[in-house]
Amino acid sequence: MFNTTEIRQDFPILRQQTHGKPLTYLDSTASSQKPQCVIDAMNDFYCHYNANVHRGIYQISEQASAAYENARKKIGRFINAHSWREVIFTRNATESINLVAYSWGLTNLKAGDVIITTEMEHHANLVPWQQVAARTGAQVKYIPVNEQGQLDLAMFDQWLTPSVKLVAITHMSNVLGVIPPVEEIITKAHSIGALFLLDGAQSVPHMPVDVQALACDFLAFSSHKMLGPTGLGVLWARQDILTAMPPFMTGGDMIKQVTLSGCTWNDLPWKFEAGTPAIAEAIGLGVAVDYLSKLGMTNVRQHEIEMTGYALERLSQVEGIHIYGPFDPQLRGGAISFTLGDIHPHDVAAVLDGEGIAVRAGHHCAMPIHDKFGLPATTRASFYVYNLPEEIDRLVIGLDKTRELLGK
Amino acid sequence: MDDFYRENILDHYRHPRHAGKLANPTHSHEEHNPLCGDVLRIDLHINEGQVIDDVAFSGKGCAISQASASMLTEMIIGKTTDQAKQIGKEDILEALGIEIGPVRLKCALLSLKTLKMGLYGLSEADWQKDDETW
């Protein structure tokens, strides 16, 4: 049913070598590889019907408009949106969150209001809230997180008062891999009248995400982490909330009528899509979503639970390794951050690179959680639909080699 | 593209039926299609028997929007308001008799939208409802 060896055939980049070794790509949390069908769909657009959308009266422009809007519908169905009008194309998940921060946040937050997030957030779900807080006088509170990725929910409960207006939390940490109990947090946020923003940059690519079942209010995610092209993100939000929000950026395509004294906004979702959008990219993401749907997101999740379980078992046997995040693969996604003795993560990554293994080294755009654990950086290996257990074996061999070379 | 500007469309465009404004309309409504800059106003006179006994349309727009407005006036004159309410998007498209792409659809249906909003206060949201389906 889920045949990784067959899946790999769809990804041309995985056929190549790096430093004379087969490419072992273990950095999908940063960006995923693209199947041939996504590359072909974008190529097809540029070769056969490249034109601007929503304006042209000629055939290829109408074709481009239809394909762009059809991609939106596919993506909406993928996350079980109520309507395609709730699906807004942005540049990336970061821009999606900024859209909410600047449009909803600056309009609705005032001094004394509280935004709750966690210590383990990606900077994309942290800095925008700090900025909005600085401008409005609102306060940001961070739910503490331990090394296993557990949130201090008792602390969260204590903070729950009507002054909390927004709770914004990751659905899967890109550092600790942990999948927090968001259902419980959403229910609690709603009980005091706060809205809930889910950062789905790591969850939408890797597991079934159903916005109606979760009952969240905003969901942000990125195309390039889910087999789609770079330069495209998605913001999903409830239609009534979007209707009440002012535009984030203004200009062409997002207006109905403009005079020199003012203008009226376009209907949803175009109200939030100023200027020419990423047309080829949206079409590419539509095909990526078809590809993932064909694999089945439950199967994708199952594959990653198996890969993560195997990786945790093998990696924990490496001498001097310290692994962060939960040890139960059911509680986490396939992103495993670790340190190897005193060896700096950049050195670990460089030695692994020589073995053809691509991993991430650094703070993974989450400096506060690294600070908390007293770490300048970690090394992170992450998995996706095309990764095989033998690639984890190669990683383990590479880490042993790193230790022999640089260990003290 | 010869097909697009078929004889019946050109005929309605060149010789619009019921063009102009009514002196004493009982109903009058104006709608815009901002994408193309089309403006359309429909005046109705509805008598005590709830029959549309006079109609006129005015405004600016492309041949498709003008021809469809002209055709619509012919469809509704002499009809009861209940009968006029039954006219749907497919009736307009059938009268035009051509394939219409997504962009021009708004031009083709501007007159029907104006009629429905003016005749019984159909809201923008209700008009769009058909588009909400997956």
Side-chain angles (χ1 to χ4, degrees), chain A residues 258-281:
Chain A
V258 182
T259 65
L260 292 180
S261 56
C263 56
T264 53
W265 310 134
N266 202 342
D267 297 322
L268 290 174
W270 309 293
K271 178 171 112 179
F272 292 103
E273 292 180 3
T276 296
I279 305 164
E281 287 76 6

Side-chain angles (χ1 to χ4, degrees), chain A residues 176-197:
Chain A
L176 302 175
V178 65
I179 300 167
V182 291
E183 289 89 347
E184 179 189 341
I185 297 171
I186 291 169
T187 305
K188 285 179 175 171
H190 285 165
S191 74
I192 47 141
L195 295 183
F196 186 92
L197 179 142

Side-chain angles (χ1 to χ4, degrees), chain A residues 316-372:
Chain A
S316 60
Q317 289 158 15
V318 173
E319 208 182 309
I321 201 166
H322 188 94
I323 297 171
Y324 293 86
F327 281 90
D328 180 353
Q330 301 285 345
L331 301 178
R332 63 177 301 154
I336 302 178
S337 297
F338 59 87
T339 51
L340 189 63
D342 292 333
I343 307 170
H344 193 281
H346 284 171
D347 294 324
V348 175
V351 176
L352 292 175
D353 176 49
E355 300 300 308
I357 303 167
V359 294
R360 190 75 157 183
H363 52 64
H364 320 304
C365 293
M367 289 175 83
I369 196 71
H370 282 83
D371 280 349
K372 171 158 186 175

Side-chain angles (χ1 to χ4, degrees), chain A residues 310 314 357 388-399:
Chain A
Y310 181 66
R314 290 297 319 272
I357 303 167
L388 291 160
E390 68 196 56
E391 293 182 290
I392 291 164
D393 297 340
R394 271 184 236 155
L395 171 66
V396 168
I397 294 167
L399 290 174

